Amino acid sequence: MSDPWQKAYDFAVEVARKAGAEIRKAGESEIRVMTKSSTVDLVTKTDERVEKIIIGALKAEFGEGTHDFIGEESVAKGEACILTDKPTWIIDPVDGTTNFVHGFPFVAVSIAFAVNKELEFGVIYSCLEDKMYKARKGKGAFCDDDPIQVSDVKDIHKSIIISEHGTDRSKEKVTKIFSTMQRILCIPVHGLRGSGTAATNMCLVASGAVEAFFEIGIHCWDIAAGAVIVKEAGGVLLDVDGGPFDLMSRRMVCANSDVIANRIIKEIEIFPSERDDIAIKKK
Ligand SMILES: O=P(O)(O)O[C@H]1[C@H](O)[C@@H](O)[C@H](O)[C@@H](O)[C@@H]1O
Ligand SMILES: [Mg+2]
């Protein structure tokens, strides 16, 4: 039986690599000479420019109108964030924007592809590390063509948990985020980490470098590609309340096993986060 998505998968890897080169170039040439404040404007331009390069290349390859697109920058400009049955690209052109501004070495291009609302493949290019993580549904997960597997650590006390404080600075949310982190740290676990990008954090779970990642407040474009990569590396994906993973819910736990995931879930203080697909309908 023909494999309809192999060409799209291979092309996505190529496009992610090209986008990563653009990000590195912007980092080397433009960002370094700018003051921090004007750099932030420049970064928004870089995010938008890289997303245009990615979507432009995909439309040129697969035709206008045949596929749908959910991109961080296009949604920010008011485009719909609804997963249809059509072949849909879910794109974060620069995951770890704040890292990028500071030259903190974790910046990822995240490209996922879904058909009939099912994630078919995910590609995450960690462009400052030059590491290409990728996975197709049912065909395993890879980093630069080497197969990757989640960690086999079963003991929470021997686990590293990765999470993020996100971009919200309201006292109420920050308190909830850090009290959750404090409870998890004092289980105790072996350590708490955060790379500054959800996509990279999920690759660290998939490659066995850490045992679990959780966050409330992320978006579908941050986690769609990582969801395929973690699953294909033998990991599990859940909602922060222990229910089934929901791509549009803006919250998730992924881990090397249900045991570690459910132990983390016990400590998470949940706060509301507006769904990706509902928020846009309100506009
Ligand atoms: O807005 P940036 O700097 O990209 O940071 C967010 C990042 O995009 C997400 O992947 C992380 O998980 C968030 O916590 C960051 O705030
Ligand atoms: Mg992001």
Side-chain angles (χ1 to χ4, degrees), residues 47-102:
D47 290 36
E48 284 169 9
R49 184 159 52 81
V50 173
E51 185 168 303
K52 275 205 186 83
I53 291 172
I54 295 170
I55 294 181
L58 294 171
K59 284 183 175 174
E61 182 74 10
F62 300 105
E64 285 277 347
T66 50
H67 294 180
D68 278 345
F69 294 87
I70 295 177
E72 177 169 14
E73 303 311 316
S74 0
V75 171
K77 290 200 206 108
E79 283 193 29
C81 184
I82 310 288
L83 199 50
T84 63
D85 287 341
K86 269 174 79 176
T88 304
W89 296 92
I90 306 167
I91 299 160
D92 188 345
V94 183
D95 191 41
T97 303
T98 308
N99 289 351
F100 173 62
V101 171
H102 294 271

Side-chain angles (χ1 to χ4, degrees), residues 92 94-99 164 166-167 196-199 213 215 218 222:
D92 188 345
V94 183
D95 191 41
T97 303
T98 308
N99 289 351
E164 301 292 333
T167 42
T197 119
F213 163 64
E215 186 170 354
I218 25 107
D222 292 319

Side-chain angles (χ1 to χ4, degrees), residues 27-225:
E28 281 139 28
S29 59
E30 298 155 358
I31 298 275
R32 293 292 165 275
V33 297
M34 306 291 279
T35 59
K36 284 281 188 259
S37 52
S38 49
T39 302
V40 177
D41 306 338
L42 187 78
V43 164
T44 320
K45 282 196 219 87
T46 304
D47 290 36
E48 284 169 9
R49 184 159 52 81
V50 173
E51 185 168 303
K52 275 205 186 83
I53 291 172
I54 295 170
I55 294 181
L58 294 171
K59 284 183 175 174
E61 182 74 10
F62 300 105
E64 285 277 347
T66 50
H67 294 180
D68 278 345
F69 294 87
I70 295 177
E72 177 169 14
E73 303 311 316
S74 0
V75 171
K77 290 200 206 108
E79 283 193 29
C81 184
I82 310 288
L83 199 50
T84 63
D85 287 341
K86 269 174 79 176
T88 304
W89 296 92
I90 306 167
I91 299 160
D92 188 345
V94 183
D95 191 41
T97 303
T98 308
N99 289 351
F100 173 62
V101 171
H102 294 271
F104 190 74
F106 299 106
V107 180
V109 179
S110 182
I111 300 175
F113 185 68
V115 183
N116 296 325
K117 301 188 180 74
E118 276 278 305
L119 289 167
E120 279 296 328
F121 61 71
V123 172
I124 296 175
Y125 181 45
S126 178
C127 62
L128 302 188
E129 293 181 284
D130 189 19
K131 282 184 176 178
M132 183 69 74
Y133 293 90
K134 59 192 184 189
R136 282 203 60 190
K137 188 170 72 173
K139 297 182 181 248
F142 301 86
C143 175
D144 294 337
D145 298 330
D146 298 328
I148 54 175
Q149 276 261 309
V150 293
S151 143
D152 60 4
V153 168
K154 302 217 176 350
D155 181 350
I156 188 73
H157 303 299
K158 297 195 177 101
S159 299
I160 289 193
I161 310 302
I162 201 161
S163 189
E164 301 292 333
H165 52 64
T167 42
D168 193 303
R169 293 294 181 268
S170 68
K171 193 160 180 309
E172 190 222 346
K173 277 200 189 153
V174 169
T175 307
K176 288 194 164 118
I177 288 168
F178 279 92
S179 60
T180 293
M181 288 200 193
Q182 183 180 353
R183 277 197 301 281
I184 289 175
L185 188 57
C186 300
I187 287 177
V189 295
H190 212 193
L192 267 187
R193 297 290 185 275
S195 73
T197 119
T200 305
N201 291 338
M202 296 177 83
C203 292
L204 291 167
V205 173
S207 56
V210 302
E211 279 64 46
F213 163 64
F214 73 95
E215 186 170 354
I216 300 176
I218 25 107
H219 291 280
C220 60
W221 46 79
D222 292 319
I223 61 172

Side-chain angles (χ1 to χ4, degrees), residues 16-26 28 109 125 127:
R17 201 176 292 284
K18 282 199 187 106
E22 273 301 311
I23 294 169
R24 280 198 301 268
K25 211 165 64 190
E28 281 139 28
V109 179
Y125 181 45
C127 62

